[in-house]
Amino acid sequence: MDHKPTETCETAAGIPDSAARSARDLRVVLSRLRRRIREVATDEDLTPSQESALTLVGRRGAATASALASAQGVRPQSMAATPAALDQHGLIRRSPDPEDGRGQLVTLTEASRARIEDNRQVREEWLARAFEDRCTERERRTVLDALALMERLPEQ
């Protein structure tokens, strides 16, 4: 990322050039970082959609296959095989949906929770090591300062 000082310019939308560059560069860096972090603890026996479904159930709790499909932006028919495969791996439990007798709720098993926690820990350790190996103490403090500023971005 090139961060040369520039004159204060605005985009056609009236956004300062520095804000537009910050948004673009941050999006690119976060995308690359997210991809690399995923690679660090990828379970080779699960597809990306199966991993995503596990993560969603882990975050949101019990869910139907159609709720998982909706959250992943796919048709319910496309999601049908995912719970079956996760069940075969012993990573989910399926039980009748009390609100819809025809549907089933998917919940995580203890094995799945342990797997998710192990993956989280591996990813976090990789990132901590990357900061340790590639950044000085001063740079790490700069990152912490920048993160404190970025905390304000999602506020309404």
Side-chain angles (χ1 to χ4, degrees):
M1 309 279 142
D2 189 10
H3 299 290
K4 296 178 198 163
T6 60
E7 297 177 27
T8 304
C9 299
E10 291 189 357
T11 65
I15 298 171
D17 183 56
S18 62
R21 272 195 6 249
S22 295
R24 181 184 59 246
D25 291 357
L26 180 60
R27 182 186 53 77
V28 169
V29 168
L30 288 178
S31 179
R32 288 176 35 214
L33 186 58
R34 182 175 47 241
R35 191 172 27 257
R36 181 64 180 113
I37 288 172
R38 279 190 187 140
E39 290 171 1
V40 169
T42 298
D43 290 316
E44 294 171 8
D45 57 335
L46 297 181
T47 67
S49 64
Q50 290 167 353
E51 282 209 34
S52 180
L54 276 182
T55 300
L56 282 167
V57 175
R59 284 187 192 141
R60 298 180 180 178
T64 63
S66 27
L68 292 173
S70 175
Q72 291 188 346
V74 299
R75 294 188 338 239
Q77 297 87 339
S78 302
M79 180 57 67
T82 299
L86 292 173
D87 198 8
Q88 282 184 325
H89 285 288
L91 298 173
I92 62 160
R93 233 177 262 109
R94 294 192 273 183
S95 58
D97 183 349
E99 295 179 17
D100 178 1
R102 299 167 295 159
Q104 293 184 329
L105 287 178
V106 174
T107 56
L108 300 181
T109 62
E110 285 308 311
S112 182
R113 289 181 200 287
R115 182 182 192 139
I116 290 168
E117 178 57 26
D118 288 347
N119 281 343
R120 184 202 57 76
Q121 187 173 351
V122 165
R123 290 171 173 154
E124 207 167 284
E125 285 175 8
W126 174 84
L127 190 53
R129 290 265 185 247
F131 274 118
E132 177 184 31
D133 295 343
R134 297 180 188 110
C135 300
T136 65
E137 181 64 27
R138 184 174 183 200
E139 290 169 329
R140 290 190 293 267
R141 292 196 183 284
T142 299
V143 168
L144 291 171
D145 290 343
L147 288 170
L149 294 173
M150 287 189 287
E151 282 286 328
R152 297 189 316 219
L153 296 178
E155 294 174 3
Q156 295 281 323

